[in-house]
Each structure stands twice: as C-alpha cells, then as structure tokens.
Amino acid sequence: MINRRLGRRKFLLYGSATLGASVLLKACGSPSEDATTGTPGSGSGDTIKVGILHSLSGTMAISETTVVEAEQMAIAEINAAGGVLGKQIEAVVEDGASDWPTFAEKAEKLIDQDQVVTVFGCWTSASRKAVKDVFESRNHMLWYPVQYEGQECSRNIFYTGAAPNQQIEPAVDWLLENKGREFFLVGSDYVFPRTANTIIKEQLRAKGGTTVDEDYLPLGNTEVTGIITKIRQALPNGGVIFNSLNGDSNVAFFKQLQGSGLTPDLYPVMSVSIAEEEVQQIGREFLIGHYASWNYFQTVETPENQTWVEAFKAKHGQDRVTNDPMEAAYTMVYLWKQAVEQAGTADDLEAVRAAAIGQQLQAPHGLVTINPNHHLSKTVRIGQVRDDGLFDIIWSSDGPVEPLAWNQYVPSTRGYACDWTDPARGERFRMEGV
Amino acid sequence: MQELAIAFFNGISIGSVLLLAALGLSITFGLMGVINLAHGELMMLGAYATFVVQNMFRPLGEPLFNFYIFLAIPVAFIVAALVGLLLERGVIRYLYGRPLETLLATWGVSLILRQFVRSVNWQMVIGLGLFSLLFFGGLFFVKRRQDWEKIRKWARAVLLVLSIGISTTASILMGNLAGQVLTRPWFSARNVDVTAPAWLRGGFALGNFQVPYARVFIIILGLVCLGLIYLFLNRSNWGLRIRSVTQNRQMSACLGIPTDQVDALTFAMGSGLAGVAGCAITLLGSVGPNTGQNYIVDTFMVVVVGGVGNLLGTVLAALAIGSLIYLIGSGTLAFLLSSVDVLQPVVDFLSFFATTSMSKVLVFALIIAFLQIKPAGIFPPKGRTAEL
C-alpha cells in the first residue's frame, strides 16, 4: 500500500495551476454576464448610475432578493418611458450577503468606485446602521424601503418603510382592543426587535396592557423549544404573541408553534416581518389565522396596485407574490425620479434632497408624501393570513398616517421630532408645547 | 411534577436532534481522526434531498404524499454518503494524519458545497458530467497503453486541459442555445420550503402540554440510527474491520484488511448519517444553503464532550447539552431552584441567562470548564493508540 502524500512542491504546482485556470475562466466568463453587475463606466453621458445593495445570499436572502426585483422593475419601467432627465438608469447591484460589515464595504465601493448618484438598499436595521456612517461621511443618499424601529433620522437616508407609529403602534392598539391585554414579545436578537420591544413595552404601560415576558433568538437559530415553554408558563390560558423575528427563524418558530398546539384562536401571533413572500416560504398551513401589520398587502384594492401586481406577475411568474417592502422599494425609485426631475440634476445631492421633500405619489397602497423628517406618510393596515396564503385586510387607518421619527412613548425621545427643512431644527429638536 | 416531565421531554428532543447530527461526526472524527468541517453541509445536502423527494411526491396527491418522508430518509442517506465518498477519495485520502490540513481542506469544501447548492443548474451538471466522462474515461483508456509509465505525467495534464476545455465549451454552448431551461438554478440562494407530511404536524395532548409528533419522530429516528450503527459496528464483518483499522492500521493491513476500502466505507457511513440528520431537521426549521452552519458548532461540541470515538459518550453528551440548553434557556432551572431561598443569587444569575442567546453562552462556558477537568471528554479513549 503506497502512501500517496501531497508534498509541498506538488501542492504549490497544482495550487498555482488551479489559481491561474480559475482567473482565466473568470476573465473569459465575464463578458457573457449580465451587464448590470458592475461594468465599469464613467456614469456621465447617457446613463445615470444608481446602486442596489441588498443581501442576495445568507439568512436574509429569503426576503431581500424580492426587493431587488421590485427596484429593478421600477428602473426598467422608467427606462422604457424615457429614463430620468432623458438619460437611462443603470443599476449596479451588490450583495451584502446578510453580513453587516460586507454591507458597509459594498456601500463604500458603490459610492467611491462606481460613483453612483444614490443607493437603494438594506433591509435589517443592523445593515442600515452599518452603512449609515458611510453615507453620512460621504454626504451621499440612501433610500431604505423596509419598516424599522425608528429612533433615527439621518440627513442622508430616506426612510420609505413604516416608522413604528405607522405599523407597530397601531397594531398594539388594535390587539389591545380586540385580542387581549397580555403580551409575550419574541424577536431576533438585534437592534430592530430590541428597540421595537422597548417601544411596545412603554406603549403597553401607557395603555394598560402587560408584558408578561420576552425572549430573543439569534439570527438563523432554529431551536424554539425554550421559547415555547416560556410562552406556556407566562400565558397558560392564552394571550397575544408579538413576533419581530426576522429571516428564517420565522420558519422554525411557526412550524414548532403549531407542533406544540399553540393555535391562533388562543395564541394569536402578530408579526411585523412576515409578508406574503414569507408566508410562502414558511408554509401557509402553519400561518393561517395569524396576523401581520403593514401598510401594503397584495390584496389592497386600488387601481395602481392592480396594475402593478399584474405587471409583476407577468414579468416574474404567476405564482409570485408582492409585499410591503417590495412596494416601498418600487415606490421609492419613482419618488427619487420625481425628486431628480424637480431638482433638474441627479448629481447635486443637496438639490435632490431639497426637492424630495414634499414629493407625492399615488403608490399601489395609497397616497404617500415625503415628510420633512425624510419619512413617508403611509396608510396603516392589519391583515390576517387566509387559506390561499394572502391576507384578508381586517383593519385599515382612515388615511395616511404622518410618520414620527422619534417615538413618543419612550421617555428618552418623548417630545422630540426631526425636520431637515429647517437648519435650526435638524435631526432632533424639542417640539414646542410638549 | 409536570414541569419536570415537560423539561425531561424537551431536553431529550433537543438532545436527539444534536445526537442525530453528531452520530455521523462521531464516526468520522472518532474512528478516523478526520476533522470534517463540511459535516454541516452534508446535513444540508440531506435536507435538500428531502426537498427534492417531497417535490417528486407532491403531484401524486394526498395519501401517497404523506409517506414521502420514508423514502426521503434513505435517499438523503445515499446522497450524502456518495458526496462523502467523493470527498474522501478526492481530498481527505491525501491528508490522513494531518489534522490541520484536513480542517482547512474540509472548510474549503464546505464553502464549495454551499455555493454549489446556490448555483447548481442543468448546465453545470452537464458540464461536470462531461468532464468526468472525458477525464476519467480517457485516463482509463490511456492507462492500458504499453508506454503508460513514460507518458504518465504529461498525459494526465493534457487530458485534464482537454476535458476541462471541451466540457466548459460544450456546456456554455448548450446554455446559450437552450436558455433559461438549462441555466435556471435548481434551488437559488433562497431557502426552500419543506412541508412535513400531515401526520407529522400537530401533536397529542398530555395534560396541559402538547407533545409534537415531529419531535417524537426525531427521537425514534435517533434511536433507530443509534441501534443500527451499534449493530453494524459490533456485529458485522465490515464493522469488525472498521474497528480493527481504528485500533491499529498497519497490523490490520498485514492481516489482509483493505484499509483503503474501510476508510472510504467509514467516511461514507458517517456522511450518510449526516444526510439523515439533515432530513430530520427539515421538520423543525427552514432549509437553505446556510442551514449546515447552524448545526456544525453544536455538533463538534457534542463529539468533543462525549469523548472521541465513543458512541455512548456521544449519546450522553448530546442529551446533557440538549437538556442544559433547554433548562437554562427556558428559565426552568431558575424556576426549579427558586423554591430554595438560600440559592437566590444562583437563581438571579440563571435568570440573566434565561434567553435563547444567553443560554448558549452559559452552556459553552460550562463545556469549557468541563473540558478543563476532563480534556478528552466523558469517555476518553483507553489504552495506547498508534498515531496515524
């Protein structure tokens, strides 16, 4: 029996040969790749370059790849209609890989190397916090399409997803009126669920509800038995579960919740990170009867929504669904376009910023307006999962709700607001008469 | 009283998941000394095999669809075992006795497997198939020549370049011609939805508590696998050969045992078990390219604490770690101790750790402390073992 050892010389020889071959293959393979993945160019002339920065792989890919599709669809529609200021939009897509330092790195690359005029990106608050410094230090512009925990108001970010008072707070109010006063809070272990739960606890304290317990799962974790035991102990006869889990922990949570016999009639779960896409991924049989709070559902009945859903299904497949972050992403590209056209330039970000405030658009879910605090006025809705995996809209606010960047229940931010049209006020100023 | 029973069951159920995952690793790590960081990815492949089997059964409709899991388990075993065999023959065979290189190589393989699952499409499969056919087939024929010894070196190189070139061009051409049909990824980077059969959803009530069927199924599966492995290793001829090669490789070779084949079989078996574990975890959570990463650390912990190469140690370690994670994370331990006043500071300490994230921290700290006292695990290997 000969011992076939791989000596150092052979290893170096084979290793360098493999390296050379792979570099050669990559170089040969590049021209046949899609032109929207980072082809170098000056960006001036006929095209305007924008950046798209989302997780195309990793635990968040389940959610973020659909947002990329919505943004690219909006860009394609705008290009087909003649582009912005007569120029075509060219999108540079980068993958954050569900890793927050990678987001910061790619953001720097988009701004410094690709010289994009704006970036549409991020989903988790962790990724947004990671890139916030990058955008502020370079005085650039990020459009962020996902609902988040508030307590932030950056000059360089436009928040087109719901602030807590447009999603979480109305949901808690509705639950207190209709489902019960005892809440169990469960979330993923990072900034959004922790901050959101702080807000919920304060709101419950102010409105007479109780937080019986809370627990956090690390992102990607699938062992939920401990949490289910805690739920049973804290809520032996039923109660409300407020779920801010993100990514594929939701799959484990609902599968194991049903396995343990905690059904929606006694233990209704209100989620703020589960939309039509996640219902498909988790399996609708585990979610029927549970609730979600968003501004947009695929079942919203407006003419704009009907057009958009039909166009999306025609392009990506009849079995695809649309959800709130996708709608916000689709809307924000159009809002950016309107701001650029009003400012008359895409490169002067100060002008675009100033022009953006006050922009209105009839979005698929309703009328939206960009407020001076860089957030959007949005209508609030609560939906219940039905048999076909879509949502029945069981409650809706009377009209668009004004966004509050700084939460009014949390003591440290009560009484503060944000206004970027007035240099004297800025990110955080004390409101008069409060 | 009921709290204890619930805690007991939950600890066992978490432990059985860990056990299934760790059985395969215990064999490869224990019996062969191979640190296989691709173990999590082998589990992931088993989970994807389950997904494929589920999709095959879906059009068959309700009564048949409920039994797909029984076909999925052997399919997952075979798929993972084949990949493990490939891994052993292709990479690990050259690195015996060199744990550091094995570690790095298998970590690299884990990255490759993850990306493979994300981007595999018919084009890639055709390309790889063509390459194997051309290269190994060509090698087979060239080896029969009279002047093989002389032309060996450059014949290999030429064959390699030729096969790579032909298969790459052929697959790219076919991709361009057929378009989406061939180039669409089978799975894409997103997670896939594996729905448990109807009879595995829900559970049966035991007083106030509901015992999930899925958990019971996993416990039974773990016991069955354990039993089969024990029987195989201790009662069959190949098991005897595996054990003898583990104890003294050179003496076994002298006695005529084909050590090459034994190594390949052992590794394939360990990988196959990982595939079965992957099938089990589809009942609990989501399946995606990164699923393996969630389990690899816990699996290594179990094998290290249990004592390398010892089945009983692995079982005990899996149950102990599973129970600890559950008891601390759900606050049950703190709750049980709170009836004793003297232990109040301990109760406060445990309450701090009573969330899922923090319980893992405490469990790992306890494992580290345990390893200080017993570095080789619960059941250290006895006697002299010849170094490979």
Side-chain angles (χ1 to χ4, degrees), chain A residues 217-224 248-250 252, chain B residues 294 298 356 360:
Chain A
L217 269 180
L219 272 172
N221 193 289
T222 52
E223 199 48 79
V224 186
D248 40 58
S249 299
N250 271 317
Chain B
N294 295 337
D298 290 330
T356 315
K360 283 218 151 157

Side-chain angles (χ1 to χ4, degrees), chain B residues 21-243:
Chain B
L23 260 180
L25 194 65
S26 160
I27 291 176
T28 53
F29 193 17
L31 294 182
M32 296 171 71
V34 171
I35 304 178
N36 183 13
L37 279 184
H39 190 80
E41 272 60 38
L42 291 168
M43 286 172 67
M44 182 260 292
L45 286 177
Y48 269 92
T50 314
F51 172 68
V52 170
V53 170
Q54 179 212 244
N55 285 351
M56 275 168 26
F57 268 69
R58 213 182 266 276
L60 293 179
E62 254 314 294
L64 277 178
F65 180 70
N66 284 334
F67 297 106
Y68 85 81
I69 195 99
F70 293 114
L71 184 62
I73 294 176
V75 168
F77 181 89
I78 291 172
V79 166
L82 285 177
V83 174
L85 193 64
L86 203 64
L87 182 59
E88 201 270 338
R89 291 279 95 182
V91 175
I92 297 184
R93 183 164 58 137
Y94 302 102
L95 298 171
Y96 279 129
R98 298 158 70 181
L100 211 54
E101 279 87 343
T102 326
L103 193 100
L104 285 174
T106 51
W107 184 67
V109 169
S110 81
L111 293 175
I112 292 176
L113 283 175
R114 263 183 270 163
Q115 191 53 42
F116 177 77
V117 165
R118 283 187 199 123
S119 44
V120 66
N121 50 21
W122 281 114
Q123 186 185 28
M124 190 184 289
V125 171
I126 291 173
L128 283 172
L130 260 178
F131 168 75
S132 318
L133 202 65
L134 288 171
F135 183 63
F136 293 109
L139 216 53
F140 178 75
F141 283 112
V142 173
K143 272 189 181 165
R144 315 245 133 180
R145 285 170 64 107
Q146 298 288 58
D147 51 352
W148 167 243
E149 283 300 314
K150 280 193 228 144
I151 63 170
R152 199 168 76 181
K153 286 192 191 134
W154 64 261
R156 271 216 187 95
V158 165
L159 261 178
L160 192 67
V161 173
L162 266 179
S163 349
I164 291 182
I166 295 178
S167 55
T168 323
T169 1
S171 55
I172 290 181
L173 270 176
M174 285 169 67
N176 285 342
L177 283 175
Q180 271 288 69
V181 175
L182 285 190
T183 54
R184 215 175 127 238
W186 286 358
F187 306 114
S188 88
R190 310 215 338 251
N191 291 11
V192 293
D193 170 35
V194 181
T195 323
W199 56 276
L200 276 179
R201 286 178 234 152
F204 61 92
L206 223 85
N208 203 14
F209 174 67
Q210 172 147 341
V211 175
Y213 289 132
R215 295 270 180 188
V216 174
F217 182 77
I218 291 177
I219 293 177
I220 296 178
L221 188 64
L223 288 173
V224 167
C225 285
L226 193 62
L228 286 175
I229 289 289
Y230 176 78
L231 284 177
F232 179 73
L233 280 181
N234 292 330
R235 297 265 189 277
S236 76
N237 278 339
W238 276 105
L240 185 63
R241 291 180 191 135
I242 291 177
R243 280 184 291 138

Side-chain angles (χ1 to χ4, degrees), chain A residues 289-323:
Chain A
H290 289 298
Y291 302 91
S293 169
W294 291 104
N295 307 112
Y296 168 85
F297 290 103
Q298 186 176 324
T299 40
V300 164
E301 283 168 8
T302 62
E304 291 82 18
N305 188 30
Q306 208 157 354
T307 322
W308 182 53
V309 173
E310 276 171 14
F312 189 83
K313 281 180 185 274
K315 185 164 179 183
H316 290 281
Q318 287 300 319
D319 54 340
R320 294 292 304 274
V321 292
T322 55
N323 61 22

Side-chain angles (χ1 to χ4, degrees), chain A residues 65 189 220 229-230 248 256 277, chain B residues 190-191 215 294 326 354 357:
Chain A
T65 44
D189 205 349
T229 306
K230 276 188 169 184
D248 40 58
Q256 294 176 40
E277 187 67 43
Chain B
R190 310 215 338 251
N191 291 11
R215 295 270 180 188
N294 295 337
Y326 170 74
S357 327

